[in-house]
Amino acid sequence: MSPLNDDQLRHFAERGFVVIPDVVAPRLLEAAMLRIDRLVEQNPPPADRRGFHFYWEQNPADSDPLVALLHESRAPEIVQSLIAPLALAKLEQLQVSLNIPVWKHRPGGPHIDGIRITEPSGRPGTFTLLAGIFLTDQSTTDMGNLWVWPGSHKVAASYLREHGPDALFDIEHPTYPMEAPEQILGRAGDLFLGNYLLGHNMGGNLSAVIRRVVYFRLQAEGHRARWRDCVRDPLLEFEPARMALNRSR
């Protein structure tokens, strides 16, 4: 049986994201929190920093407790059920994302990742799926939550079908009409999965807790060779989601 049911697959297809509860075991969360504590101790944010602060790990080792959040949890099975028959490529990067209170911020609009910094070939840094594992609770709004613009992955794909895939470079901060944003809610151990083209941004943090999330920008094998097709068909690498959507019609 697939770890994702048809309702979850359809939600991903139509809205561009889904949140899966209780994916990561507490022991993995504890080890990852200690790892982040060491990162902060070695390279602390400026004393007056409020809002976002990031740590990036390139080609992280399989033994890294941050990688274990992904590899030793239910996440690979869940992701595989979303992209089958494709397989995941080797992890190339992870991001530790902090949101330091108190930050009275409301994003004016979304962005799409990987456009400003291209690969050596000049290719935009597209990927298949944004996976985020919550290390702290974001059970109500304004706790440093991720903001998403539901359905904007479909709007982006429509725009790129009309203007061509290289027009992706023009929409890092898209201005085409979109639905109103919503804040993602979840608890420590939950898994967020977002379509690459889903517009998103970081919101303010009015809580007393530094929000911690670890993000993985995942690629299906062969993604780089077909990225132009992927940005024009938002479900190209998500056949199970497409099939679930078709079953509902």
Side-chain angles (χ1 to χ4, degrees):
M1 179 181 293
S2 170
L4 295 180
N5 59 41
D6 268 17
D7 286 343
Q8 291 169 319
L9 290 168
R10 283 194 294 268
H11 193 278
F12 182 87
E14 293 174 339
R15 307 289 277 169
F17 67 95
V18 66
V19 178
I20 314 300
D22 299 323
V23 171
V24 181
R27 65 175 181 85
L28 298 174
L29 297 175
E30 292 168 6
M33 289 288 274
L34 290 174
R35 172 79 165 86
I36 295 173
D37 288 344
R38 291 196 294 272
L39 286 175
V40 172
E41 181 180 354
Q42 294 164 2
N43 187 15
D48 60 350
R49 169 72 75 185
R50 297 294 179 269
F52 61 87
H53 188 76
F54 304 140
Y55 298 93
W56 299 89
E57 300 284 331
Q58 303 295 331
N59 300 309
D62 290 343
S63 58
D64 191 321
L66 300 177
V67 175
L69 292 170
L70 184 71
H71 287 171
E72 297 183 25
S73 70
R74 294 170 48 222
E77 178 189 12
I78 293 168
V79 171
Q80 189 60 52
S81 74
L82 190 56
I83 68 170
L86 300 173
L88 274 180
K90 180 177 173 56
L91 181 66
E92 298 178 1
Q93 179 196 81
L94 64 82
Q95 176 192 17
V96 175
S97 176
L98 308 184
N99 190 319
I100 302 170
V102 170
W103 191 37
K104 299 179 180 180
H105 172 72
R106 300 185 73 82
H111 66 259
I112 297 175
D113 287 340
I115 298 174
R116 180 178 304 172
I117 301 176
T118 61
E119 296 183 356
S121 66
R123 191 191 80 86
T126 66
F127 48 89
T128 301
L129 187 67
L130 179 65
I133 293 176
F134 301 169
L135 273 68
T136 57
D137 290 348
Q138 296 144 68
S139 53
T140 61
T141 60
D142 299 321
M143 296 183 69
N145 312 58
L146 182 71
W147 287 43
V148 299
W149 278 253
S152 57
H153 63 308
K154 295 186 292 186
V155 183
S158 177
Y159 179 91
L160 294 170
R161 285 194 297 272
E162 179 180 354
H163 297 278
D166 289 317
L168 180 65
F169 289 103
D170 301 326
I171 58 171
E172 180 183 3
H173 300 282
T175 57
Y176 36 65
M178 290 170 279
E179 289 187 33
E182 65 179 66
Q183 298 188 43
I184 297 296
L185 304 181
R187 295 187 179 277
D190 292 357
L191 171 67
F192 166 86
L193 297 174
N195 189 293
Y196 167 72
L197 289 172
L198 180 73
H200 60 280
N201 216 329
M202 183 184 288
N205 187 355
L206 305 184
S207 77
V209 177
I210 297 176
R211 188 220 69 175
R212 291 181 172 185
V213 177
V214 178
Y215 286 113
F216 305 89
R217 289 162 174 81
L218 305 176
Q219 289 189 29
E221 289 184 350
H223 171 83
R224 283 183 170 88
R226 58 176 173 266
W227 75 267
R228 286 184 171 86
D229 295 323
C230 293
V231 299
R232 290 178 289 181
D233 178 356
L235 297 182
L236 182 65
E237 296 183 309
F238 304 103
E239 188 60 25
R242 191 195 304 274
M243 293 172 63
L245 193 61
N246 290 338
R247 283 194 292 269
S248 68
R249 292 172 177 167

